[in-house]
Amino acid sequence: MTAIQPPSRGLTPLLVPLLAGGLAALALGVYGRVHTPTGFAVGVGGFSGALPMKAWLTTGAFLLAIVQVVSAMSMWGRLGIDIPPAVHRWSGRIAFLLTIPVAFHCLYALGLQYDVPRVLAHSLLGCFFYGVFTAKMLALPKRDAPGWTLPVLGGLAFTALVGLWLTSSFWFFTAIGIKV
């Protein structure tokens, strides 16, 4: 009779998710830099232009990211209230979907830019966000990953999204104004 070994808590289970996340961030950055920007990528369906579309979709993702943090804290027993796990899953799915047209427009129409510090920070945060998101999604099924894995990766994704919102939507709403 063999003894059951407790799950490993080392970093080995995270090698593939972290490597894939790093490669995703690097690939987006390289593509954004070497691709010749087109100036146009997606229709703005219902919005007056690309900037308002991106500002509002990013704001939606940002608000859903707050729901993500609150629902994650509830799932981990940190709030004393029970929010169904489906709220966490669906708010994350919808937040991610809201970022897709924004990221596509940014990469395809504008590319990775570095002339203006705000835009450079935004470009790097965008690559980092998708890299961390990739790592988090790949780490989810890893039951032998350290207990801090999901909170840290989720916190990094949230922080990146806050930074993206501050360098895009907040900038747009304060510099240009609130437009639809």
Side-chain angles (χ1 to χ4, degrees):
M1 188 183 221
T2 60
I4 296 175
Q5 296 286 332
S8 167
R9 293 291 189 201
L11 296 179
T12 305
L14 297 180
L15 288 179
V16 169
L18 292 176
L19 182 61
L23 289 174
L26 184 64
L28 289 171
V30 168
Y31 175 80
R33 194 65 203 128
V34 300
H35 167 72
T36 303
T38 64
F40 178 81
V42 293
V44 294
F47 294 96
S48 60
L51 284 178
M53 175 204 64
K54 293 182 345 180
W56 285 108
L57 291 179
T58 303
T59 298
F62 169 69
L63 293 173
L64 288 168
I66 294 170
V67 172
Q68 283 276 285
V69 170
V70 171
S71 60
M73 290 175 66
S74 171
M75 289 180 354
W76 289 88
R78 302 282 190 238
L79 294 182
I81 59 171
D82 288 329
I83 298 174
V87 171
H88 186 77
R89 286 190 296 271
W90 280 101
S91 63
R93 289 171 180 155
I94 295 168
F96 180 76
L97 288 175
L98 289 176
T99 70
I100 297 296
V102 176
F104 181 74
H105 184 275
C106 289
L107 277 172
Y108 193 73
L110 306 172
L112 191 143
Q113 299 180 15
Y114 56 85
D115 298 338
V116 177
R118 175 191 63 82
V119 178
L120 172 62
H122 183 76
S123 295
L124 295 176
L125 282 166
C127 295
F128 180 73
F129 170 76
Y130 282 101
V132 169
F133 181 82
T134 299
K136 182 180 180 223
M137 292 301 103
L138 292 175
L140 272 172
K142 304 242 180 242
R143 300 288 179 222
D144 55 347
W148 53 262
T149 302
L150 295 179
V152 167
L153 292 176
L156 288 171
F158 176 77
T159 301
L161 195 54
V162 169
L164 285 166
W165 183 81
L166 288 170
T167 57
S168 61
S169 300
F170 180 75
W171 170 84
F172 177 80
F173 293 139
T174 57
I176 308 296
I178 297 180
K179 297 180 181 190
V180 177

